[in-house]
Each structure stands twice: as structure tokens, then as C-alpha cells.
Amino acid sequence: MSVLTLLSAAAMAQAAVPAVTGSWDTDFGIVRLAEDKQGSISGSYVTDDGRITGKIENGVIEGFWVESASDYACDTQKMGSRYWGRIRFELNSAGTGWTGIWSYCDYEYVEGAVWNGKRIK
């Protein structure tokens, strides 16, 4: 393989649209996500001014949801709110959907607390 081919492949990889950037139809409405070059994820959704922050590694997003109100208030704040919890979204191999779970605060995930999504854009 030539050096030019390797450089071209590297340039195309850098120019590629990140795997999760876009809009997703989820169990909690439309979620808009963006991924930067370091794998940091940020996003938003309508429910209680929802925000998502986290990292993606090997097709798995781990991070937090944060809202302006929720059924449960945490003892500590995250991103200026006491209404937050953990998320874990596992992308399918095609990058068209995820199966996810969530929790309140920093508690363990509970059975039935699902947050699944399918790519729409």
C-alpha cells in the first residue's frame, strides 16, 4: 500500500460523519446527539429541557442525562441540576439504533428502565 493511499484513507476517516451525530427517535422522544473527534457526546431532548453528556467507546455510549425536573431529586448536582442519572446506550452494528438503560442519580440500573433509540437523520 502506498503512502498516498494511507494518507487518503486517513483524510477520509477524519472527514467522516461521527457515528452517533444526528436525530434519534427514542422512548423519551426525539434526541439530538453530537459527537466530537475525542468521542465526547452531547445532546438534548424536549422532556424537561433534557440534556445528555458522555463518551462513546467501542459502540457504547456511557454518560448522564440531566433535566430541569424529574420524579426524583439527587443529593448532588450534575451540570447545575439535582435531576440526573446514568445512561448506557449500546449501538447496533449498523449504527441505526441502540438498546439502552438508565438510572436515577448514580444508582445502579434497574430492570425495566429502558431507553431505546432508532436513527431518523
Side-chain angles (χ1 to χ4, degrees), residues 5 30 36 55 79 87 105 108-109:
T5 303
I30 302 300
D36 69 16
K55 294 283 278 179
M79 295 173 60
I87 57 167
C105 310
E108 292 298 316
Y109 298 112

Side-chain angles (χ1 to χ4, degrees), residues 25-46:
D25 186 11
T26 79
D27 295 325
F28 291 90
I30 302 300
V31 171
R32 287 174 177 69
L33 294 178
E35 175 185 355
D36 69 16
K37 291 180 182 179
Q38 290 75 40
S40 292
I41 303 293
S42 60
S44 63
Y45 55 99
V46 174

